[in-house]
Amino acid sequence: MKLISVEDIKEKDHPLDYRKTYTARAVFQSVVYGKEEIPISFHIEYTPLGEPRIEVQLHEHPRSGEVLGAVKALKSHIKALREQGVLS
């Protein structure tokens, strides 16, 4: 299972300045199951030292059952989006 993209990213209001919360759709491609879209939510929380900590929640399990691989790929992709300035 391969992560293709993260689409429809929407920031939710959050009362804490050091925490940003988002909802989105993750698009995966699998040889067996084909293209699959999974609703997700994630947040980026900055530690007192300024380091970002990313947490991801899948709202549905992938049909392939590769939850840990999906979360790892999403964290890496979200980190790259943050570094590119896509996520404010």
Side-chain angles (χ1 to χ4, degrees):
M1 187 161 97
K2 180 180 177 183
L3 176 63
I4 303 298
S5 65
V6 177
E7 301 173 349
D8 298 331
I9 300 172
K10 295 183 176 106
E11 185 175 358
K12 296 175 75 176
D13 289 335
H14 202 279
L16 303 175
D17 289 337
Y18 59 89
R19 186 178 209 178
K20 303 281 186 180
T21 304
Y22 302 87
T23 59
R25 277 185 306 117
V27 181
F28 292 95
Q29 181 71 37
S30 170
V31 174
V32 176
Y33 299 104
K35 190 174 179 181
E36 181 177 8
E37 295 183 7
I38 299 173
I40 63 168
S41 60
F42 62 94
H43 67 263
I44 302 172
E45 183 173 331
Y46 294 90
T47 66
L49 298 175
E51 293 294 319
R53 194 175 90 216
I54 300 169
E55 297 293 327
V56 176
Q57 182 180 17
L58 303 174
H59 295 287
E60 295 175 8
H61 288 288
R63 290 183 292 213
S64 66
E66 296 180 37
V67 175
L68 293 178
V71 170
K72 184 177 177 182
L74 283 165
K75 283 184 177 184
S76 177
H77 188 75
I78 291 165
K79 181 180 178 184
L81 289 175
R82 188 191 67 78
E83 290 171 353
Q84 294 168 4
V86 175
L87 303 174
S88 57

XYZ file of all heavy atoms in Angstrom:
709
model
N 0.842 -1.173 0.000
C 0.000 0.000 0.000
C 0.889 1.239 0.000
O 1.826 1.352 0.784
C -0.898 -0.020 1.230
C -1.903 1.059 1.236
S -3.240 0.717 2.352
C -2.703 1.647 3.751
N 0.588 2.175 -0.895
C 1.400 3.374 -1.060
C 0.525 4.614 -0.913
O -0.569 4.683 -1.464
C 2.050 3.341 -2.442
C 2.923 4.519 -2.733
C 3.529 4.401 -4.108
C 4.336 5.650 -4.401
N 4.885 5.643 -5.738
N 1.033 5.599 -0.185
C 0.323 6.869 -0.037
C 0.494 7.677 -1.313
O 1.612 7.932 -1.758
C 0.875 7.651 1.158
C 0.285 9.036 1.385
C -1.202 8.942 1.707
C 1.026 9.747 2.489
N -0.624 8.073 -1.918
C -0.593 8.876 -3.138
C -0.649 10.362 -2.799
O 0.149 11.153 -3.298
C -1.783 8.511 -4.071
C -1.759 7.029 -4.417
C -1.791 9.375 -5.318
C -0.529 6.580 -5.162
N -1.595 10.756 -1.951
C -1.730 12.172 -1.604
C -2.590 12.342 -0.355
O -3.266 11.419 0.082
C -2.351 12.961 -2.756
O -3.672 12.524 -2.983
N -2.542 13.557 0.172
C -3.431 13.984 1.251
C -4.201 15.173 0.690
O -3.600 16.175 0.290
C -2.654 14.375 2.522
C -3.600 14.869 3.594
C -1.843 13.195 3.040
N -5.532 15.049 0.622
C -6.368 16.047 -0.043
C -7.375 16.666 0.915
O -7.644 16.120 1.975
C -7.109 15.391 -1.210
C -6.184 14.769 -2.242
C -6.914 13.985 -3.306
O -8.127 13.736 -3.160
O -6.254 13.612 -4.296
N -7.958 17.761 0.493
C -8.998 18.466 1.247
C -8.579 18.769 2.681
O -9.327 18.538 3.629
C -10.315 17.677 1.251
C -10.899 17.495 -0.133
O -10.652 18.369 -0.985
O -11.596 16.500 -0.358
N -7.397 19.302 2.841
C -6.888 19.621 4.174
C -7.600 20.869 4.681
O -7.593 21.910 4.022
C -5.367 19.850 4.150
C -4.652 18.598 3.658
C -4.870 20.255 5.536
C -3.175 18.781 3.422
N -8.216 20.744 5.857
C -8.931 21.867 6.470
C -8.451 22.017 7.912
O -8.450 21.061 8.677
C -10.432 21.619 6.440
C -10.987 21.566 5.035
C -12.489 21.398 5.041
C -12.990 21.447 3.625
N -13.378 20.179 3.092
N -8.085 23.239 8.265
C -7.652 23.506 9.636
C -8.875 23.764 10.502
O -9.799 24.474 10.109
C -6.727 24.720 9.674
C -6.158 24.981 11.043
C -5.142 26.107 11.062
O -4.838 26.675 9.997
O -4.669 26.416 12.165
N -8.884 23.161 11.687
C -9.964 23.371 12.645
C -9.485 24.379 13.689
O -8.300 24.463 13.989
C -10.326 22.042 13.316
C -10.873 21.005 12.333
C -11.108 19.692 12.999
C -12.353 19.779 13.836
N -12.703 18.496 14.457
N -10.426 25.125 14.226
C -10.086 26.062 15.299
C -9.652 25.293 16.532
O -10.260 24.286 16.899
C -11.291 26.941 15.643
C -11.598 27.942 14.553
O -10.672 28.297 13.793
O -12.759 28.366 14.455
N -8.598 25.787 17.157
C -8.104 25.155 18.382
C -7.664 26.263 19.331
O -6.982 27.207 18.904
C -6.932 24.221 18.065
C -6.722 23.196 19.115
N -6.051 23.446 20.277
C -7.126 21.911 19.200
C -6.036 22.365 21.021
N -6.682 21.413 20.386
N -8.046 26.192 20.599
C -7.746 27.290 21.522
C -6.261 27.424 21.900
O -5.862 28.466 22.382
C -8.586 26.944 22.756
C -8.776 25.478 22.686
C -8.831 25.141 21.227
N -5.471 26.403 21.663
C -4.057 26.457 22.030
C -3.217 26.889 20.839
O -3.310 26.327 19.757
C -3.585 25.082 22.522
C -4.368 24.491 23.697
C -3.895 23.084 24.002
C -4.237 25.382 24.924
N -2.363 27.886 21.044
C -1.536 28.422 19.960
C -0.473 27.429 19.488
O -0.040 27.497 18.343
C -0.848 29.707 20.392
C -1.813 30.863 20.518
O -2.884 30.803 19.882
O -1.494 31.821 21.242
N -0.025 26.548 20.344
C 1.051 25.626 19.988
C 0.542 24.311 19.384
O 1.312 23.390 19.137
C 1.932 25.323 21.206
C 1.197 24.710 22.374
C 1.050 23.326 22.479
C 0.663 25.505 23.373
C 0.380 22.761 23.547
C -0.015 24.949 24.444
C -0.143 23.582 24.521
O -0.818 23.018 25.590
N -0.753 24.242 19.111
C -1.331 23.023 18.539
C -2.242 23.384 17.368
O -3.149 24.195 17.507
C -2.118 22.279 19.602
C -2.628 20.957 19.149
C -3.349 20.280 20.286
N -3.240 18.856 20.118
C -3.715 17.970 20.946
N -4.310 18.370 22.054
N -3.586 16.714 20.706
N -1.985 22.790 16.213
C -2.805 22.981 15.010
C -3.499 21.655 14.714
O -2.864 20.601 14.681
C -1.942 23.367 13.810
C -1.119 24.610 14.013
C -1.953 25.831 13.842
C -1.048 27.067 13.898
N -1.762 28.272 13.742
N -4.805 21.700 14.482
C -5.593 20.495 14.211
C -6.194 20.585 12.816
O -6.701 21.632 12.422
C -6.713 20.347 15.261
O -6.113 20.334 16.561
C -7.489 19.064 15.064
N -6.133 19.460 12.082
C -6.593 19.418 10.691
C -7.439 18.173 10.442
O -7.283 17.160 11.124
C -5.402 19.360 9.724
C -4.442 20.503 9.843
C -3.378 20.472 10.748
C -4.561 21.622 9.038
C -2.479 21.517 10.854
C -3.672 22.684 9.133
C -2.629 22.616 10.041
O -1.740 23.655 10.141
N -8.291 18.254 9.417
C -8.976 17.085 8.880
C -8.613 17.009 7.395
O -8.293 18.027 6.772
C -10.511 17.178 9.017
O -10.974 18.337 8.333
C -10.931 17.232 10.481
N -8.660 15.787 6.842
C -8.282 15.611 5.435
C -8.721 14.226 4.955
O -9.322 13.454 5.705
C -6.774 15.771 5.276
N -8.408 13.954 3.689
C -8.615 12.625 3.103
C -7.268 12.121 2.616
O -6.573 12.822 1.873
C -9.554 12.696 1.893
C -11.006 12.694 2.207
C -11.877 12.651 0.954
N -11.555 13.721 0.008
C -11.080 13.530 -1.223
N -10.892 12.331 -1.693
N -10.823 14.563 -2.007
N -6.911 10.913 3.008
C -5.682 10.289 2.532
C -6.036 9.340 1.391
O -6.985 8.566 1.502
C -5.006 9.526 3.660
N -5.276 9.418 0.306
C -5.511 8.562 -0.850
C -4.351 7.573 -0.936
O -3.182 7.969 -1.034
C -5.615 9.383 -2.155
C -5.872 8.464 -3.337
C -6.702 10.433 -2.034
N -4.697 6.276 -0.876
C -3.717 5.201 -0.954
C -3.945 4.384 -2.215
O -5.067 4.293 -2.715
C -3.838 4.265 0.261
C -3.430 4.900 1.557
C -4.370 5.476 2.391
C -2.111 4.919 1.951
C -4.007 6.059 3.585
C -1.728 5.497 3.147
C -2.680 6.064 3.969
N -2.884 3.753 -2.703
C -2.969 2.843 -3.846
C -2.424 1.490 -3.408
O -1.346 1.401 -2.845
C -2.139 3.375 -5.024
C -2.184 2.517 -6.251
C -3.539 2.585 -6.946
O -4.170 3.626 -6.995
N -3.973 1.478 -7.470
N -3.205 0.455 -3.663
C -2.817 -0.901 -3.308
C -2.915 -1.777 -4.549
O -3.813 -1.593 -5.381
C -3.753 -1.438 -2.220
O -3.542 -2.799 -2.019
N -2.009 -2.730 -4.673
C -2.045 -3.645 -5.812
C -3.315 -4.487 -5.769
O -3.981 -4.684 -6.780
C -0.796 -4.557 -5.803
C -0.887 -5.613 -6.887
C 0.468 -3.735 -5.956
N -3.675 -4.950 -4.597
C -4.834 -5.835 -4.446
C -6.150 -5.065 -4.457
O -7.100 -5.452 -5.127
C -4.713 -6.651 -3.135
C -5.945 -7.507 -2.916
C -3.454 -7.495 -3.153
N -6.230 -3.952 -3.722
C -7.501 -3.241 -3.533
C -7.670 -2.002 -4.405
O -8.734 -1.390 -4.418
C -7.669 -2.852 -2.066
C -7.707 -4.046 -1.158
C -6.613 -4.398 -0.385
C -8.839 -4.845 -1.086
C -6.648 -5.505 0.444
C -8.880 -5.953 -0.257
C -7.784 -6.274 0.505
O -7.820 -7.369 1.311
N -6.645 -1.575 -5.095
C -6.742 -0.383 -5.937
C -6.685 0.891 -5.116
O -6.111 0.937 -4.033
N -7.317 1.941 -5.627
C -7.313 3.250 -4.975
C -8.304 3.253 -3.814
O -9.418 2.766 -3.942
C -7.694 4.318 -5.988
C -7.501 5.721 -5.535
C -7.789 6.667 -6.689
C -7.624 8.101 -6.258
N -7.915 9.023 -7.359
N -7.869 3.811 -2.695
C -8.708 3.850 -1.494
C -8.545 5.204 -0.810
O -7.432 5.674 -0.614
C -8.283 2.727 -0.550
C -9.073 2.634 0.701
C -8.661 1.453 1.566
O -7.663 0.790 1.275
O -9.364 1.218 2.552
N -9.660 5.838 -0.459
C -9.640 7.116 0.246
C -10.095 6.894 1.686
O -11.127 6.274 1.925
C -10.552 8.117 -0.448
C -10.088 8.484 -1.830
C -10.948 9.534 -2.483
O -11.845 10.090 -1.823
O -10.711 9.803 -3.675
N -9.316 7.429 2.622
C -9.597 7.241 4.044
C -9.652 8.615 4.718
O -8.699 9.388 4.606
C -8.520 6.372 4.713
C -8.485 4.994 4.058
C -8.754 6.258 6.210
C -7.352 4.125 4.521
N -10.754 8.934 5.413
C -10.790 10.198 6.158
C -9.834 10.128 7.349
O -9.748 9.098 8.029
C -12.240 10.316 6.612
C -12.842 8.979 6.443
C -12.007 8.195 5.498
N -9.114 11.220 7.563
C -8.146 11.274 8.662
C -8.281 12.601 9.397
O -8.884 13.549 8.898
C -6.693 11.122 8.164
C -6.302 12.290 7.242
C -6.474 9.786 7.479
C -4.827 12.376 6.948
N -7.712 12.636 10.573
C -7.492 13.897 11.274
C -6.074 13.828 11.824
O -5.543 12.752 12.086
C -8.520 14.123 12.380
O -8.467 13.102 13.327
N -5.459 14.973 11.952
C -4.103 15.001 12.509
C -3.869 16.331 13.188
O -4.578 17.301 12.939
C -3.046 14.734 11.423
C -2.979 15.735 10.311
C -2.098 16.799 10.374
C -3.777 15.611 9.187
C -2.016 17.721 9.335
C -3.709 16.519 8.145
C -2.822 17.579 8.221
N -2.922 16.319 14.091
C -2.538 17.582 14.712
C -1.028 17.666 14.804
O -0.326 16.655 14.850
C -3.222 17.824 16.062
C -2.807 16.894 17.141
N -3.519 15.786 17.479
C -1.746 16.919 17.975
C -2.918 15.154 18.472
N -1.842 15.826 18.788
N -0.571 18.899 14.768
C 0.847 19.201 14.918
C 0.968 20.015 16.190
O 0.379 21.091 16.309
C 1.380 20.001 13.714
C 1.154 19.206 12.424
C 2.857 20.321 13.916
C 1.458 19.978 11.162
N 1.688 19.479 17.137
C 1.873 20.152 18.424
C 3.349 20.475 18.581
O 4.211 19.631 18.343
C 1.408 19.241 19.552
C 1.491 19.880 20.906
C 0.866 19.024 21.991
O -0.066 18.258 21.688
O 1.306 19.136 23.137
N 3.630 21.710 18.958
C 5.012 22.136 19.121
C 5.410 22.029 20.589
O 4.718 22.532 21.466
C 5.190 23.569 18.608
C 4.982 23.644 17.114
C 3.720 23.881 16.587
C 6.035 23.426 16.248
C 3.522 23.923 15.212
C 5.841 23.463 14.878
C 4.583 23.704 14.369
O 4.384 23.730 13.014
N 6.527 21.349 20.835
C 7.038 21.177 22.189
C 7.618 22.510 22.676
O 7.805 23.434 21.878
C 8.135 20.094 22.230
O 9.270 20.564 21.489
C 7.634 18.776 21.656
N 7.932 22.632 23.976
C 8.535 23.874 24.478
C 9.852 24.237 23.775
O 10.235 25.392 23.734
C 8.775 23.581 25.959
C 7.730 22.580 26.299
C 7.582 21.723 25.071
N 10.533 23.245 23.194
C 11.769 23.518 22.463
C 11.517 23.860 20.998
O 12.444 24.085 20.230
C 12.709 22.308 22.552
C 13.157 21.940 23.965
C 13.985 20.674 23.941
C 13.941 23.089 24.583
N 10.249 23.873 20.572
C 9.903 24.244 19.209
C 9.856 23.089 18.222
O 9.617 23.296 17.043
N 10.095 21.883 18.684
C 10.054 20.713 17.806
C 8.604 20.305 17.553
O 7.805 20.232 18.483
C 10.803 19.539 18.450
C 12.283 19.768 18.585
C 12.980 19.855 17.249
O 12.640 19.071 16.340
O 13.853 20.721 17.117
N 8.250 19.998 16.308
C 6.874 19.565 16.016
C 6.673 18.085 16.341
O 7.562 17.260 16.106
C 6.739 19.812 14.518
C 8.124 19.678 14.001
C 9.027 20.178 15.088
N 5.531 17.772 16.909
C 5.136 16.380 17.155
C 3.838 16.153 16.391
O 2.863 16.881 16.589
C 4.941 16.127 18.644
C 4.874 14.636 18.966
C 4.796 14.385 20.446
N 3.368 14.380 20.764
C 2.834 14.843 21.857
N 3.585 15.382 22.776
N 1.551 14.790 22.062
N 3.829 15.172 15.509
C 2.684 14.921 14.637
C 1.951 13.668 15.101
O 2.570 12.628 15.300
C 3.142 14.754 13.174
C 3.847 16.028 12.701
C 1.969 14.411 12.272
C 4.561 15.889 11.387
N 0.648 13.795 15.266
C -0.216 12.662 15.612
C -1.266 12.515 14.526
O -1.859 13.507 14.101
C -0.893 12.883 16.965
C 0.060 12.966 18.140
C 0.771 11.654 18.418
O 0.171 10.579 18.190
O 1.930 11.712 18.855
N -1.502 11.277 14.080
C -2.451 11.005 13.005
C -3.490 10.005 13.477
O -3.158 9.036 14.163
C -1.727 10.430 11.763
C -2.712 10.061 10.680
C -0.687 11.400 11.247
N -4.735 10.241 13.107
C -5.817 9.307 13.423
C -6.555 8.945 12.142
O -7.030 9.831 11.422
C -6.798 9.915 14.424
C -7.905 8.978 14.811
C -8.859 9.612 15.814
O -8.895 10.812 15.990
N -9.641 8.772 16.460
N -6.638 7.653 11.853
C -7.417 7.165 10.717
C -8.848 6.955 11.186
O -9.071 6.340 12.224
C -6.857 5.838 10.203
C -5.397 5.809 9.765
C -4.979 4.382 9.429
C -5.184 6.702 8.577
N -9.821 7.451 10.435
C -11.219 7.285 10.827
C -11.820 6.003 10.261
O -12.948 5.648 10.608
C -12.034 8.512 10.417
C -11.606 9.743 11.148
N -11.887 9.966 12.477
C -10.876 10.816 10.750
C -11.376 11.118 12.857
N -10.742 11.650 11.829
N -11.085 5.335 9.381
C -11.452 4.020 8.858
C -10.166 3.222 8.732
O -9.105 3.786 8.482
C -12.091 4.127 7.466
C -13.407 4.837 7.424
C -13.911 4.999 5.994
O -13.309 4.432 5.055
O -14.909 5.709 5.824
N -10.256 1.912 8.875
C -9.081 1.062 8.674
C -8.912 0.779 7.193
O -9.896 0.547 6.481
C -9.220 -0.255 9.430
C -9.081 -0.101 10.908
N -7.882 0.172 11.509
C -9.988 -0.155 11.897
C -8.053 0.265 12.812
N -9.327 0.077 13.078
N -7.673 0.773 6.701
C -7.446 0.403 5.309
C -7.862 -1.043 5.069
O -7.726 -1.892 5.955
C -5.931 0.554 5.133
C -5.452 1.309 6.307
C -6.450 1.141 7.390
N -8.361 -1.321 3.882
C -8.790 -2.685 3.567
C -7.631 -3.665 3.626
O -7.818 -4.832 3.943
C -9.439 -2.738 2.185
C -10.778 -2.045 2.153
C -11.410 -2.171 0.810
N -10.632 -1.401 -0.161
C -11.124 -0.779 -1.203
N -12.404 -0.849 -1.464
N -10.352 -0.091 -2.017
N -6.429 -3.193 3.358
C -5.265 -4.083 3.392
C -4.847 -4.417 4.816
O -4.091 -5.350 5.043
C -4.090 -3.445 2.657
O -3.648 -2.294 3.357
N -5.330 -3.644 5.788
C -4.987 -3.893 7.187
C -3.652 -3.307 7.607
O -3.196 -3.530 8.721
N -2.995 -2.549 6.746
C -1.679 -1.986 7.049
C -1.809 -0.642 7.768
O -1.443 0.398 7.234
C -0.884 -1.808 5.759
C -0.578 -3.100 5.059
C 0.217 -2.863 3.790
O 1.076 -1.951 3.782
O -0.016 -3.581 2.825
N -2.292 -0.665 8.981
C -2.535 0.579 9.726
C -1.223 1.260 10.095
O -1.066 2.472 9.886
C -3.383 0.303 10.990
C -3.526 1.557 11.830
C -4.743 -0.236 10.595
N -0.271 0.525 10.635
C 0.984 1.142 11.067
C 1.759 1.730 9.894
O 2.310 2.825 9.992
C 1.847 0.131 11.815
C 1.295 -0.330 13.166
C 2.211 -1.372 13.787
C 1.128 0.844 14.098
N 1.778 1.012 8.773
C 2.451 1.534 7.584
C 1.779 2.785 7.062
O 2.435 3.731 6.619
N 0.442 2.825 7.114
C -0.312 3.988 6.658
C -0.022 5.194 7.541
O 0.214 6.300 7.037
C -1.805 3.680 6.648
N -0.016 4.999 8.851
C 0.242 6.109 9.782
C 1.669 6.628 9.615
O 1.900 7.837 9.590
C -0.028 5.662 11.242
C 0.467 6.708 12.226
C -1.510 5.397 11.443
N 2.626 5.729 9.443
C 4.018 6.134 9.263
C 4.175 6.960 7.978
O 4.826 8.000 7.981
C 4.920 4.907 9.213
C 6.377 5.233 9.118
C 7.225 3.979 9.135
C 8.688 4.335 8.970
N 9.549 3.159 8.935
N 3.559 6.506 6.885
C 3.630 7.238 5.620
C 2.962 8.605 5.747
O 3.466 9.609 5.219
C 2.981 6.420 4.509
N 1.830 8.657 6.444
C 1.123 9.929 6.628
C 1.955 10.915 7.452
O 2.032 12.095 7.119
C -0.232 9.694 7.287
C -1.311 9.143 6.361
C -2.475 8.606 7.169
C -1.765 10.214 5.384
N 2.567 10.454 8.526
C 3.392 11.341 9.356
C 4.536 11.936 8.539
O 4.833 13.129 8.632
C 3.948 10.594 10.569
C 2.930 10.397 11.661
C 3.570 9.744 12.868
C 2.583 9.605 14.005
N 3.213 9.052 15.214
N 5.167 11.110 7.726
C 6.266 11.576 6.885
C 5.774 12.608 5.866
O 6.414 13.651 5.653
C 6.899 10.384 6.180
O 7.906 10.798 5.306
N 4.638 12.341 5.259
C 4.070 13.262 4.256
C 3.643 14.589 4.909
O 3.892 15.662 4.358
C 2.883 12.594 3.561
C 2.353 13.370 2.410
N 2.998 13.427 1.192
C 1.245 14.139 2.282
C 2.302 14.193 0.368
N 1.232 14.637 1.013
N 3.020 14.511 6.064
C 2.586 15.719 6.775
C 3.787 16.550 7.200
O 3.773 17.775 7.102
C 1.691 15.339 7.976
C 0.359 14.778 7.467
C 1.475 16.528 8.900
C -0.450 14.050 8.511
N 4.839 15.882 7.634
C 6.073 16.596 8.002
C 6.625 17.358 6.794
O 7.022 18.518 6.906
C 7.113 15.608 8.520
C 8.402 16.255 8.937
C 9.393 15.231 9.452
C 10.705 15.912 9.806
N 11.717 14.947 10.228
N 6.612 16.713 5.622
C 7.092 17.363 4.406
C 6.197 18.546 4.027
O 6.711 19.609 3.627
C 7.154 16.359 3.263
N 4.894 18.398 4.155
C 3.964 19.499 3.861
C 4.216 20.677 4.784
O 4.200 21.837 4.361
C 2.508 19.039 4.000
C 1.983 18.089 2.933
C 0.569 17.640 3.288
C 2.019 18.726 1.560
N 4.475 20.396 6.063
C 4.743 21.462 7.027
C 6.041 22.190 6.665
O 6.109 23.416 6.687
C 4.850 20.885 8.439
C 4.941 21.947 9.527
C 5.303 21.345 10.860
N 6.653 20.811 10.877
C 7.767 21.542 11.005
N 7.696 22.838 11.102
N 8.944 20.975 11.034
N 7.066 21.433 6.282
C 8.351 22.042 5.933
C 8.269 22.870 4.655
O 8.991 23.837 4.494
C 9.420 20.951 5.795
C 9.787 20.340 7.134
C 10.680 19.113 7.012
O 10.924 18.641 5.875
O 11.108 18.604 8.065
N 7.366 22.489 3.739
C 7.170 23.229 2.492
C 6.307 24.477 2.700
O 6.145 25.281 1.793
C 6.505 22.336 1.442
C 7.357 21.186 0.994
C 6.562 20.174 0.175
O 5.387 20.368 -0.121
N 7.211 19.074 -0.163
N 5.693 24.617 3.877
C 4.877 25.773 4.181
C 3.428 25.630 3.751
O 2.678 26.602 3.761
N 3.016 24.418 3.373
C 1.634 24.184 2.953
C 0.681 24.279 4.160
O -0.416 24.792 4.050
C 1.489 22.804 2.261
C 0.042 22.487 1.939
C 2.343 22.768 1.004
N 1.143 23.790 5.301
C 0.340 23.846 6.526
C 0.791 25.062 7.327
O 1.927 25.187 7.706
C 0.538 22.568 7.351
C 0.207 21.269 6.630
C 0.582 20.083 7.501
C -1.253 21.216 6.277
N -0.158 25.957 7.585
C 0.196 27.194 8.314
C 0.299 26.954 9.797
O -0.258 26.106 10.370
C -0.844 28.258 8.035
O -2.123 27.838 8.390
